[in-house]
Amino acid sequence: MPPYERESDCNTMSDNIITLKGVSKTYKVGPSTVRAVDDAALEIERGRMVAIVGHSGSGKTTLLSLIGGLTKPSSGKVLLNSTDIWSISDNELSILRNKMIGFSFQFASLIPTLSIYDNVRLPSTFDGAPPVKEDRAQKLLEMVGLEDRGNSYPAHLSGGEQRRVALARTLMNQPQLILADEPTGDLDEETEGEILDILRKINAGGATILLVTHSRAVASQAEYELRMDKGHLSEKPAEF
C-alpha cells in the first residue's frame, strides 16, 4: 500500500469526520470581546478536500485550531468521528489528536538537531501513536522526492524542501484528517505546484483534507470552498 493511503475506516459509524454545532470562540481584548469564530456549524464527510478562504483576521486559523482540538471553544460542540472532543480527558484528546490528525502549518518547524529521517518519524515516538514499520519514514521521503536526504539536517534544505519534509512528517501516523494552514504560503509557483501534487495524492489515498489558504490556485484544488468573514463561516463564493 502506498505510504499516503489509509486503511478503510469501516468501523466508523458516521459518514462525517467533522461536525461543528454552534461553535464560537471569544477573547477579551481590554474592555472589548472579540468573536474570532461566531456560531459556526459544519459537516464534512470523510475523504473530502475542503478549502477555507477569507481575509487575514477573519478567523480561519482559529477555526482550524478548534477543529484540531488545540483550542477549546467558548461554546458549542466539536465532533470528530462522532466523538465530542471536549467531553473526553486531556490524555484521551492527546491520543486522539496523535492517532487521527495530521497538522501542516505554513512554517515547517522542523527540529534542527534531528536528521530529516528522524524529523519525519517523530510523531511515531509519542505515546498513543499507532505502531508503524521502521521503513515508513523512508517511504514517505520517497513520496515527497527526498529519499536521498534522510541523513541531512533541516539547515541543509531549501524552504520548499523543508515544507515537503513537514508534509511527510504529517503522514507518519496515517492520519484520517489533515489540517493544513497556508501549506503553500511564501512558496514560489513551482514549489507550490509540488506541494499541491502531494496534497492531491494524500486525498486520493483516502485522507480528508481541510486547508486554510489565501491562494486562488490552492483553493481551486478543493472539492468546495468555505468562507470565513469576521468570524462567520458560510458557503458563499470566495473573494480574492
Side-chain angles (χ1 to χ4, degrees):
M1 182 169 63
Y4 52 84
E5 285 194 1
R6 287 198 43 76
E7 296 180 1
S8 174
D9 298 304
C10 58
N11 61 341
T12 303
M13 295 182 63
S14 172
D15 288 335
N16 294 329
I17 191 169
I18 299 170
T19 303
L20 304 184
K21 298 182 178 181
V23 172
S24 296
K25 181 62 182 179
T26 60
Y27 296 99
K28 293 291 291 184
V29 180
S32 303
T33 298
V34 176
R35 300 186 71 84
V37 175
D38 192 358
D39 196 28
L42 177 64
E43 292 184 349
I44 295 179
E45 295 178 344
R46 66 191 65 262
R48 301 287 191 177
M49 185 171 177
V50 180
I52 301 175
V53 298
H55 298 296
S56 178
S58 61
K60 304 185 303 297
T61 296
T62 300
L63 182 70
L64 216 61
S65 296
L66 291 165
I67 293 170
L70 301 176
T71 300
K72 187 173 183 178
S74 303
S75 60
K77 291 186 177 183
V78 178
L79 286 78
L80 299 181
N81 281 344
S82 301
T83 297
D84 181 350
I85 64 173
W86 293 106
S87 69
I88 59 180
S89 69
D90 289 345
N91 184 58
E92 289 172 325
L93 178 56
S94 295
I95 292 172
L96 181 147
R97 274 197 303 259
N98 200 42
K99 291 176 64 177
M100 179 181 172
I101 304 173
F103 294 94
S104 177
F105 301 108
Q106 181 174 354
F107 303 102
S109 301
L110 303 178
I111 296 178
T113 55
L114 293 181
S115 70
I116 295 306
Y117 179 88
D118 285 338
N119 265 283
V120 171
R121 69 181 298 271
L122 185 63
S124 69
T125 65
F126 298 141
D127 288 344
V132 294
K133 296 179 179 179
E134 284 299 315
D135 63 352
R136 179 166 173 77
Q138 184 60 33
K139 288 181 178 179
L140 288 168
L141 285 173
E142 292 172 6
M143 188 197 80
V144 299
L146 295 171
E147 61 272 17
D148 59 344
R149 305 303 297 273
N151 292 325
S152 300
Y153 287 82
H156 303 150
L157 273 60
S158 69
E161 288 173 330
Q162 290 188 33
R163 201 75 60 84
R164 283 189 272 161
V165 172
L167 273 176
R169 180 183 59 190
T170 295
L171 298 178
M172 189 63 197
N173 288 345
Q174 294 181 280
Q176 300 175 45
L177 174 64
I178 308 293
L179 300 179
D181 192 357
E182 297 287 359
T184 63
D186 300 326
L187 295 180
D188 59 74
E189 186 174 338
E190 180 179 354
T191 307
E192 180 180 85
E194 294 171 354
I195 298 298
L196 289 176
D197 285 343
I198 295 169
L199 289 173
R200 282 192 291 267
K201 288 180 180 179
I202 295 169
N203 182 236
T208 305
I209 299 178
L210 182 61
L211 59 89
V212 160
T213 183
H214 285 98
S215 167
R216 175 73 264 171
V218 175
S220 68
Q221 302 302 308
E223 293 182 58
Y224 61 93
E225 300 173 11
L226 302 170
R227 181 182 174 191
M228 287 292 291
D229 183 22
K230 298 179 180 178
H232 295 281
L233 179 67
S234 70
E235 296 185 14
K236 294 179 182 178
E239 295 180 355
F240 286 86

